[in-house]
Amino acid sequence: MEEDEMAGYRYQIDIGGGGGTTWEGTLRKLAMPGLLFHHETLSKDFFYDEIQPWVHYVPLNMDLADLR
């Protein structure tokens, strides 16, 4: 899906793999309108100290148990 189409949705989800999420994908989704659900992983990128859970995004547990 292209970014302009994704931006039309109310919610974005950022799910990482073994290496976490991509920094570029996370930042692009943060810039879109709507609410970002971000998958918390052990991997942290350079900008993670600048963003805050529940302020800039809704955190999701590593096992996604809190995603309904």
Side-chain angles (χ1 to χ4, degrees):
M1 180 181 303
E2 297 293 325
E3 284 185 27
D4 59 337
E5 186 179 356
M6 282 177 44
Y9 288 91
R10 238 180 239 188
Y11 306 104
Q12 303 296 329
I13 189 164
D14 193 33
I15 297 179
T21 60
T22 66
W23 67 267
E24 183 181 16
T26 302
L27 291 177
R28 286 179 185 225
K29 289 173 184 158
L30 277 169
M32 290 183 186
L35 179 63
L36 175 62
F37 292 93
H38 178 69
H39 182 215
E40 298 281 290
T41 65
L42 296 175
S43 300
K44 304 272 186 215
D45 274 309
F46 65 94
F47 61 89
Y48 278 40
D49 292 335
E50 305 298 322
I51 59 174
Q52 300 171 15
W54 300 107
V55 174
H56 300 107
Y57 64 91
V58 174
L60 297 175
N61 289 338
M62 286 178 58
D63 64 359
L64 299 175
D66 54 348
L67 180 63
R68 296 180 201 204

